[in-house]
């Protein structure tokens, strides 16, 4: 019984870590893309103004 509880706990913890890791990667990826878009947009605006 204890082994089953420990196994379940390990599974839940591992799942939480995996979800957290995936979420972090997604946020970093979206952040990088957003920054690239903003930089491109600013560069485009600067070109339009001159």
């Amino acid at each position: 019984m204890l082994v089953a509880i420990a196994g379940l706990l390990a599974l839940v913890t591992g799942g939480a870590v995996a979800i957290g890791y995936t979420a972090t990667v997604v946020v970093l990826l979206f952040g990088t893309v957003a920054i690239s878009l903003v930089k491109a947009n600013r560069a485009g605006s600067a070109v339009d103004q001159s």
Side-chain angles (χ1 to χ4, degrees), residues 18-44:
I19 290 166
Y21 182 75
T22 306
T24 305
V25 169
V26 169
V27 167
L28 284 173
L29 196 68
F30 267 81
T32 306
V33 170
I35 290 167
S36 300
L37 285 172
V38 168
K39 280 183 179 173
N41 197 16
R42 279 187 183 159

Side-chain angles (χ1 to χ4, degrees), residues 2-27:
L2 264 175
V3 173
I5 292 170
L8 193 65
L9 198 65
L11 193 70
V12 170
T13 306
V17 169
I19 290 166
Y21 182 75
T22 306
T24 305
V25 169
V26 169
V27 167

